[in-house]
Amino acid sequence: MKLLLVTVFSVISPFSVQSAAPPAAHELPWTVMEGQMPEIISANDRSETYGQFETLNGVSLEDQKAELLARMGEPSAIQEDPYLGCDEFNFDDVQVGICEDTGTIQYVHVKGSHDHWSLNGTVIPMQMDAIHQALGQPHYIAEDGEVYLRGQYAIKVYMKPGSGEVEGIDLFDDTAS
């Protein structure tokens, strides 16, 4: 019996040779970090510069026809868009597709023959390296160009095949079918 008591005592004794148990979490020192939130970047947003596409050469997809004409004046020409069946209003530095039944802007287009274009009021040279620097990597690469997405809006940069030269840039609603 004495041997059993000595064995039990040595196991629970503070003088035993067993290592001490690690401290509980509430016994460890804590450091409080105030005002620091981790940065959360959406997987869909690959650009640090543009969180949303709002305007292309000063025209928003949210503008109405009357608003556009009041700001831009009369177009130099109006022609039918063969793909949408809507009217395309041609201004000096931008073409705007507007469907008469809704009066809403379907797309905004800038020709590649211009030296630069404007996105959300920021002027960008009409060159692919400048576009990549401004928009990051494209979400899709098609035979005729590159597509960039931000929220519900998209920008497509049309390129001449095999050259990398910009033919034009469109802003459109990616959710519209």
Side-chain angles (χ1 to χ4, degrees), residues 2 6 15-16 29-30 45 78 91 99 103 105 111 114 127 138 140 152 157 177:
K2 283 185 181 180
V6 172
F15 302 110
S16 71
W30 289 84
D45 185 7
I78 300 174
F91 298 96
C99 290
I105 295 176
K111 292 180 181 178
H114 295 285
Q127 300 165 351
Y140 304 105
Q152 70 185 37
V157 179
S177 49

Side-chain angles (χ1 to χ4, degrees), residues 35-87:
Q36 293 184 359
M37 290 291 293
E39 184 178 357
I40 299 172
I41 299 173
S42 169
N44 291 333
D45 185 7
R46 300 180 187 178
S47 169
E48 299 81 33
T49 307
Y50 297 98
Q52 295 289 329
F53 297 143
E54 297 169 7
T55 62
L56 179 60
N57 279 20
V59 179
S60 169
L61 295 174
E62 296 177 10
D63 290 343
Q64 296 295 313
K65 178 181 174 183
E67 202 177 347
L68 174 73
L69 294 175
R71 187 174 61 252
M72 303 285 286
E74 288 298 315
S76 59
I78 300 174
Q79 58 195 38
E80 184 178 337
D81 180 298
Y83 300 107
L84 293 178
C86 299
D87 289 335

